[in-house]
Amino acid sequence: MSLKLQIAVIACLAVVAIADQSPYPAPPAYAPPAPPAYAPPAPYHPPPKAYHAEPDYPDVPPKYNYNYGVADGYSGANFGHSESRDGYKTEGSYTVDLPDGRKQTVKYVDNGDGLVAEVTYEGEAQYPEYKPTYKPAPPAYGPPPPTYA
């Protein structure tokens, strides 16, 4: 074995021997925590009562009438709705002006056994042909900037 290799092996053994001796104290050995002393369970306390009473709702069937309508000349919106209810019987209707020029009317009745609706249309659907108008594009660039001498 060459001298250089022997010196390298001896240096490695010296490093391992020195590294084995730590300058810090060894950590204490792990000890499991002591089991807790027996304690009886906490006494049961029911949850606190609500601070307000529940409202009492009457046992009478609902009864109402309402209607509304909108006619906006600016946007062209024109629709309305009316409904009346007496217990389980509900009846009403609503109307809508459709974009194709017709007026749709829906009349409905519900006697408590399901909704029955009747849809009717007034007028003829109109689909005018779209004719785009030519609009030239603006110039890409304005006049050249002035030059100063």
Side-chain angles (χ1 to χ4, degrees):
M1 208 191 261
S2 72
L3 182 63
K4 290 182 183 179
L5 183 60
Q6 290 176 356
I7 293 173
V9 170
I10 292 172
C12 289
L13 289 176
V15 168
V16 168
I18 293 172
D20 189 34
Q21 300 172 0
S22 174
Y24 303 108
Y30 173 75
Y38 175 75
Y44 173 74
H45 296 289
K49 302 251 186 232
Y51 63 92
H52 65 281
E54 291 291 325
D56 292 330
Y57 294 108
D59 290 334
V60 295
K63 186 174 187 177
Y64 62 83
N65 291 313
Y66 79 89
N67 61 23
Y68 70 88
V70 174
D72 183 15
Y74 180 74
S75 67
N78 187 7
F79 54 90
H81 186 197
S82 65
E83 182 175 294
S84 64
R85 181 170 181 179
D86 188 6
Y88 287 107
K89 182 176 182 177
T90 305
E91 56 187 323
S93 67
Y94 60 89
T95 60
V96 178
D97 282 350
L98 299 175
D100 62 8
R102 298 179 296 167
K103 178 182 255 185
Q104 178 185 24
T105 304
V106 179
K107 294 180 183 178
Y108 58 90
V109 176
D110 185 359
N111 292 321
D113 56 354
L115 182 74
V116 178
E118 176 188 344
V119 181
T120 58
Y121 296 94
E122 296 175 20
E124 188 70 30
Q126 299 174 6
Y127 303 102
E129 184 179 337
Y130 175 70
K131 295 182 181 179
T133 58
Y134 174 73
K135 187 189 243 184
Y141 300 103
T147 56
Y148 299 102

